[in-house]
Amino acid sequence: MAAGNAGALRGAAERWLFGARAVETAPIHLGQRRIYVLPTAAGWVFALVLLVMLIASINYSLSLGYALTFLLGGVALASTVHAARNLLDLTIRPGRGEAVFCGEDAVFRLLIDNPRAARRPALALRAHGRETVFELAAGDGAEIALACPTARRGEFAIGRTVLETRWPLGLARAWSVFTPATTCLVYPAPEADPPPLPVDRAADGTRLRSGGEGDEDFSGLRRFRDADSLRHVAWKVVARGGPLLTKQFTGLVGADLLLDSAALPPSLDLEAKLSRLAAWLLAAERSGCRYALVLGGTTIAPGRGELHLHRCLRQLALFRNVPSGTRDA
C-alpha cells in the first residue's frame, strides 16, 4: 500500500513538474536535455550515511575516513552519470496496436533503437500504471510491448510514457517523458450472456429462419437416407454395431441477418446496447451467415469474414450518436 501511494505521489509530482507533452512525431530522440536525474530513496539514505561519515571524520580527524567518504561519494556521482548515459541517444518509434475488447489489456508496441556500441541494461517502460522491464544489446533495437488496462470503448492512446533506468547501483533514477503517436481501438465488451440472435429479422425485410439442415451446430441423429452424404454418417455408432444413422446439424438459413440497434429494448442504455450488439456480431460470425449492422443512422451492408466483423465492431467502438441519414455500404 505504501509503495502504491509513493508511486502515485511520484506520478503526480512528475505531471506537475513536466506537464503533459503533445503527441510527438517519430522518431523520438532522447537527447541530453530530455533526460532527468534524481536520487532514489536508497540514494538519499546513502547521501545521509556519507554525511555522517564526513562529520565523524572531521570530529575525529580520521584521514582514512575522509578517503573512504570521498571515494564512496565519487562512486555515487559516477553512477549518476552512468544512469543518464544509459538513456542518452535512444530513439523511439511507435509500433502497431491491435484492437481489443473493453476490459482486456491493450498491448502497445514501441520500437526502441540503441545506436551506441554499448548495451543498455535495466531499462523500464511505464504508462497507465503498467511497467515493462527490458534491455538493449549494443547497436541493436527491440520491439517492446507494454500492456495497459482498458476501461472504456473508443480510441485508446498510450499517452504520457516514461522510459527510466536505475542502473548501475540503484542510487539514482534517470528518466525521460514522451508521448508517442500510437493508439489502439477498444471494442465494447460483449454481453456475457446475450439472448439468441434475432433470427426473425433479415436485412431485406423477410423472415430469417433457423433449424433447417445446415453444417453449424450438431442437433441429433436420424435414420440414414439414400441421398445423405457419407461424411455425415455416424460411423462411431455403426462401429459399435448400431444402425446406419445420419448426423443432423442446424444452421441459420434464409436471408441475411439484420442487427439493428433500434430493435433492442428501450430499457437498455447505450453501452448495454453496444455490448449486446458486439456479442451478436461475434455469434453471427461464428454461425457463418451474412449479417448487416444498423447503428443510429449508419448502415453497414451484409457481409461476413474477419474484415467485415472488425468493420462492424469498429463502428460500435466509435459510435457517438451520429446524425441520421449516413449510409456506409
Side-chain angles (χ1 to χ4, degrees):
M1 182 65 71
N5 291 336
L9 289 174
R10 183 180 66 191
E14 288 178 359
R15 283 190 293 272
W16 179 73
L17 287 172
F18 308 110
R21 288 182 176 271
V23 175
E24 302 175 71
T25 57
I28 301 171
H29 178 256
L30 300 187
Q32 185 175 354
R33 292 180 177 272
R34 298 196 57 164
I35 299 173
Y36 310 97
V37 184
L38 280 176
T40 62
W44 288 114
V45 172
F46 188 78
L48 180 61
V49 172
L50 288 182
L51 179 61
V52 172
M53 291 175 60
L54 180 61
I55 293 173
S57 300
I58 294 173
N59 188 46
Y60 294 103
S61 300
L62 298 176
S63 300
L64 291 178
Y66 284 120
L68 181 59
T69 300
F70 291 124
L71 175 62
L72 294 178
V75 170
L77 288 176
S79 72
T80 302
V81 174
H82 280 287
R85 284 177 55 82
N86 203 31
L87 298 182
L88 187 62
D89 292 332
L90 289 180
T91 302
I92 299 107
R93 290 174 289 126
R96 183 171 56 91
E98 297 182 356
V100 296
F101 289 99
C102 187
E104 298 177 343
D105 284 346
V107 179
F108 294 103
R109 304 181 187 279
L110 296 178
L111 307 173
I112 304 181
D113 295 319
N114 173 24
R116 207 169 64 200
R119 74 184 187 98
R120 309 290 185 105
L123 299 172
L125 191 67
R126 290 195 293 109
H128 295 284
R130 296 289 183 86
E131 180 179 273
T132 296
V133 179
F134 64 100
E135 68 174 44
L136 298 174
D140 197 6
E143 182 181 72
I144 309 302
L146 181 62
C148 300
T150 59
R152 60 182 181 180
R153 64 180 175 89
E155 196 172 45
F156 182 47
I158 190 172
R160 182 178 176 277
T161 308
V162 177
L163 182 62
E164 69 174 36
T165 183
R166 302 184 183 212
W167 185 82
L169 300 179
L171 300 178
R173 172 179 174 255
W175 76 97
S176 183
V177 182
F178 53 92
T179 306
T182 179
T183 61
C184 78
L185 201 60
V186 180
Y187 300 144
E191 188 175 359
D193 189 19
L197 284 169
V199 295
D200 59 334
R201 297 184 61 83
D204 60 0
T206 62
R207 179 178 176 82
L208 186 69
R209 58 189 176 86
S210 120
E213 292 186 7
D215 57 357
E216 301 301 331
D217 300 314
F218 178 77
S219 63
L221 298 171
R222 62 169 173 79
R223 291 201 170 273
F224 180 80
R225 300 171 188 167
D226 292 337
D228 290 341
S229 172
L230 292 179
R231 67 188 182 92
H232 287 165
V233 172
W235 294 111
K236 291 184 179 180
V237 177
V238 176
R240 292 196 296 266
L244 196 61
L245 301 175
T246 298
K247 292 183 284 186
Q248 281 187 301
F249 299 86
T250 59
L252 296 176
V253 295
D256 299 325
L257 177 64
L258 176 63
L259 303 177
D260 189 351
S261 61
L264 293 175
S267 58
L268 296 177
D269 62 19
L270 174 61
E271 296 305 321
K273 289 180 179 180
L274 296 178
S275 180
R276 179 164 297 181
L277 287 173
W280 278 351
L281 286 171
L282 295 175
E285 182 63 33
R286 288 194 299 268
S287 74
C289 70
R290 286 164 50 89
Y291 50 93
L293 175 67
V294 177
L295 182 62
T298 301
T299 299
I300 296 181
R304 65 182 174 187
E306 186 175 352
L307 290 179
H308 181 68
L309 173 63
H310 287 290
R311 186 183 181 192
C312 294
L313 289 172
R314 178 183 179 84
Q315 190 67 36
L316 298 184
L318 300 179
F319 179 66
R320 290 293 186 273
N321 291 323
V322 295
S324 61
T326 303
R327 180 172 184 84
D328 183 3

